[in-house]
Each structure stands twice: as structure tokens, then as C-alpha cells.
Amino acid sequence: MNKPLVIKINVEDVVPVLLIEAVNTLKNGGLVVFPTETVYGLGALISRKDAVKKIYLVKGRPIDNPLIVHVDTIDMFLELTLDPPEEIIELAKKFWPGPLTIIWWKKPGKVPDIVTADLPKVAIRSPAHPVALELIRLSGEAIAAPSANRSGKPSPTTADHVLDDLDGLVDVVIDSGETLYGVESTVIDFTVKPPRLLRPGAMPIEKIEKVIQKKIEIPYYARGLGEAGQAESPGMKYKHYAPNAKLVIVETSNYHQKLDYLVKKARELLEKGLRKYKRVAIICSSETCSKYHDLDVEILDIGSRKNLFIVARNLFKTLRKLDDLNIEYAVVEGFEEKGLGLTIMNRLRKASGHNIIIV
Ligand code: TXA
Ligand code: MG
């Protein structure tokens, strides 16, 4: 395929006419990369089964890993699903558009099986990004879109990341600059009781629990501790977010009291790493990065422990930076598993292939 058409659109000023080419491409069964508030998505209209099939091919995505369907309104969600309960409608009203993906039963004949990998359930969200919403509205149909990266790589938070992975494989790329959250949506399966977190994301689960007034089950794989089997959660069994470098995550049970121990352990690992590898890096918090200056390692500050929104936002671009810097071995400081911390640790643990050291 030729180079994609790149359309630059300012988030502040989304003129529908700029999207005509993208909409036509979707209607003709093409693939359009578009920005959302989380990460860039690789989109096809759900009715275009040929195009949806191309998504799997282009990403190198296993065919048994279902896609998220993006809608612009709750009405469109209701069109595709089988009588969701009041609780779900309430969540959709409260958090959409936004980074919450709801899994519910499909209405027969409305969502092609290739979109949901033959499952009777569908994952749906409404993205809080004017370009994404306008694209769906103008297409008049829901858009199936996984993150626009090659399978196994960190999700793209800029159009350049997309082009690094998928140049020549897609028809249109809409570039609206860096995405807001930088991590994907929170995915919750509401067909089971209690609701089950399949993937922590940009929406902290504590906020959702507050609305539904019950606890959400957090399985071990949602914490990034091991991979789920196909029956438990499709798609969660695959290696994710992996840079080329070997990663090790240093964690502690108490980030307030034991941060010094954590740094000490990270330094030990770096010193050991330097004996074996030429290009070594530490990914550290703003609070602790100064503790590594005497070592011959790249220092990547991922943000302050007091602002996990920024840490999450920097996460994937920092993992991609490791590749840009040709790093062979990197030590990563862990973060407290609360709020967005759960999301950050899920991604880091998976990125490391569960290579974790606890102090
Ligand atoms: O923020 C996001 O969610 C981004 C943007 C583009 O919206 N999308 C995204 O899609 O991250 P993807 O395909 O990379 O991740 C979707 C996750 C996968 O892990 C998949 O296994 C799960 O959601 N999923 C999708 N449909 C499902 C279903 N019917 N049942 C269980 N899990 C499902
Ligand atoms: Mg993905």
C-alpha cells in the first residue's frame, strides 16, 4: 500500500469538511487512524467485515482478540446491545464520552462476529475527543478500533508513533497531536457478577465503584500479575507494550517508607546490568531520578509520584524512547497501585514480561 494520507486537525477547531476524505475511506472499506483522548485508534466501520479483518492483519493481532466498538451517543450503544440494565446506562450517562469501556451482551445481528472474535459480548465506549466523535457521527455508524500499534508494542500517543508502526499499511492518519491520557480506556465486563475489571485504564475504578456502589472484582491479570487464559479474558493473555530492552520493575509494599530501599535495589540492578549491557537506562520518578546521576545510564524521568496522571501520560512514550535510544536493559521504579497507579503497574508489569523484584 502507498503512504497514508495524513490529515492534520487542531483539536480546538474540528471542521467537519476536513473529515470528508476519512469518512469516505471508512465507507469504502478502508482503515483510518484517528485520535482519541486515550491513545490513537485504528478504525474500520463495524459493518465492513473486510475492513475489520484488515485491522487484525495490519496489527498482526491474533484473530481471537476482540476489538472495542466506538459510538458517539448512548442511543448508538443501545442499538448494538441487549437491554443493558439501568446501572450501565447511569455509568454511560455519567462517564461518556470518556475512557470507560463497557462490556455487555450483543443484540443479535447488530455487531459482526469478526469484531467480537465470535463472542456473544461486545466492548463499547464513547471517546471524549471531538475528532473521534465527529468521525463516528459523519459515518453514521459505530467504528471498531483497537489501539493503532503493531500487536505487542506500546500503544501510540502521537501520530508519529502510529507511522513508526503502521506506515504504508493504513489509508488515512488523522494527526491531532499528543493524546490527553496516554493510556487506554478502562475495560469492565458487566455481564458477570460482581463486574470484573479486564483492563485498568485512564478511568480509575474507584470512580466507577462510587457510582454503582459496589466493588469491582480485580483479577490478578488486571494487576498485570500473570496473563489470563482465553476463557477468563480474551486478549489479556498476549504479551503487551514490550520495548526491545529487557525490563525489570522494582516494587515495594510501601512507597512512603521504603523508597530509599527501592532506589538502593534499583542501583544494584543497574550496576549489575552495566557489566553485561552497553546501553542501560533507569526509568524513575521526579523525586528519585537525581539518585542515579553518578551511574553511566540514561535517566528517563517519568513524572512525579504526586501526579500519576502525568506518569500515565508519559508511560508509553517513555517505553518507546527506550527503543529510540537503543537501550538493551532498563530498570523501572514501581508506583503505588492506587487510582491510576493500578493502570501504570499493569502496563509496566506486562511490558517487563512480569520481571518484578519486590523490596
Ligand atoms: O482507549 C482505548 O481503549 C483504545 C482507544 C483506541 O479506544 N482502544 C484499545 O483497544 O485499547 P485494544 O483493542 O488495544 O484493547 C481492547 C481490549 C483488548 O484487550 C480486548 O481483549 C478487550 O479490550 N476486549 C474487547 N472486546 C472484548 C470482549 N467482547 N470481551 C472481552 N474483552 C474484550
Ligand atoms: Mg491495544
Side-chain angles (χ1 to χ4, degrees):
M1 197 188 273
N2 297 328
K3 290 261 168 218
L5 170 70
V6 178
I7 307 172
K8 283 199 191 279
I9 302 186
N10 185 340
V11 200
E12 313 288 323
D13 185 24
V14 180
V15 190
V17 68
L18 292 175
L19 287 169
I20 290 175
E21 197 59 37
V23 172
N24 286 337
T25 301
L26 286 171
K27 289 190 170 163
N28 291 326
L31 298 184
V32 172
V33 173
F34 61 95
T36 79
E37 80 282 31
T38 57
V39 300
Y40 276 78
L42 170 60
L45 292 188
I46 59 166
S47 66
R48 294 295 310 230
K49 292 186 215 162
D50 50 338
V52 175
K53 198 164 169 189
K54 265 193 284 180
I55 290 182
Y56 289 91
L57 284 176
V58 159
K59 271 187 68 97
R61 183 181 181 106
I63 199 83
D64 61 358
N65 188 2
L67 309 178
I68 294 180
V69 170
H70 297 70
V71 298
D72 63 342
T73 59
I74 296 182
D75 280 346
M76 196 182 264
F77 167 68
L78 295 173
E79 275 286 299
L80 305 175
T81 49
L82 205 58
D83 303 328
E86 197 46 48
E87 170 184 274
I88 289 185
I89 312 246
E90 195 186 340
L91 283 175
K93 279 190 184 147
K94 180 136 180 100
F95 294 121
W96 285 357
L100 167 64
T101 295
I102 292 171
I103 295 185
W104 190 247
W105 304 107
K106 296 201 274 187
K107 199 180 267 179
K110 294 288 183 181
V111 186
D113 284 339
I114 182 145
V115 174
T116 56
D118 285 333
L119 291 171
K121 314 173 184 185
V122 59
I124 303 190
R125 81 180 195 96
S126 183
H129 194 292
V131 168
L133 287 175
E134 195 59 17
L135 193 63
I136 303 164
R137 192 183 71 82
L138 292 170
S139 304
E141 191 181 317
I143 297 179
S147 49
N149 50 286
R150 287 278 304 169
S151 202
K153 287 282 148 195
S155 297
T157 58
T158 66
D160 281 346
H161 295 164
V162 174
L163 294 172
D164 285 347
D165 278 17
L166 302 178
D167 196 8
L169 297 170
V170 298
D171 302 290
V172 176
V173 174
I174 305 173
D175 178 357
S176 295
E178 191 172 346
T179 59
L180 177 64
Y181 291 102
V183 283
E184 308 91 334
S185 63
T186 301
V187 180
I188 300 176
D189 186 348
F190 287 93
T191 67
V192 291
K193 277 187 186 163
R196 185 178 299 147
L197 179 68
L198 299 190
R199 179 181 73 185
M203 168 82 60
I205 57 159
E206 291 86 345
K207 279 191 165 188
I208 300 153
E209 288 177 330
K210 222 168 160 181
V211 174
I212 59 175
Q213 302 214 326
K214 58 182 141 188
K215 283 274 169 202
I216 292 167
E217 185 199 327
I218 309 176
Y220 66 99
Y221 54 82
R223 298 177 60 209
L225 298 172
E227 304 294 338
Q230 178 69 13
E232 292 166 280
S233 172
M236 299 300 159
K237 65 184 169 179
Y238 298 108
K239 192 167 159 95
H240 265 89
Y241 320 112
N244 298 325
K246 180 179 163 64
L247 292 190
V248 54
I249 317 296
V250 190
E251 302 186 17
T252 165
S253 53
N254 189 331
Y255 286 91
H256 302 286
Q257 284 172 12
K258 290 189 166 168
L259 203 52
D260 287 345
Y261 291 110
L262 187 150
V263 169
K264 191 164 164 254
K265 179 48 100 180
R267 287 181 55 95
E268 262 172 52
L269 290 165
L270 289 167
E271 277 163 2
K272 218 160 111 192
L274 281 165
R275 278 179 236 136
K276 189 160 167 204
Y277 302 99
K278 278 205 221 66
R279 305 280 300 142
V280 175
I282 172 80
I283 297 180
C284 41
S285 63
S286 310
E287 285 81 4
T288 44
C289 276
S290 63
K291 313 257 163 122
Y292 305 98
H293 278 309
D294 58 316
L295 299 173
D296 185 20
V297 300
E298 289 284 346
I299 298 177
L300 301 177
D301 184 342
I302 195 167
S304 167
R305 292 182 179 278
K306 298 196 191 94
N307 191 345
L308 295 185
F309 174 82
I310 298 293
V311 174
R313 187 170 189 190
N314 287 335
L315 190 72
F316 288 144
K317 73 176 167 195
T318 306
L319 291 179
R320 280 184 182 257
K321 186 123 190 243
L322 292 176
D323 287 354
D324 295 343
L325 294 169
N326 294 315
I327 300 296
E328 298 156 284
Y329 177 75
V331 177
V332 188
E333 292 182 359
F335 288 83
E336 192 176 1
E337 232 179 325
K338 256 201 228 145
L340 283 175
L342 179 66
T343 306
I344 293 163
M345 292 316 291
N346 165 287
R347 305 301 188 273
L348 287 178
R349 288 167 179 159
K350 280 172 160 274
S352 75
H354 314 287
N355 191 13
I356 300 163
I357 288 184
I358 302 173
V359 295

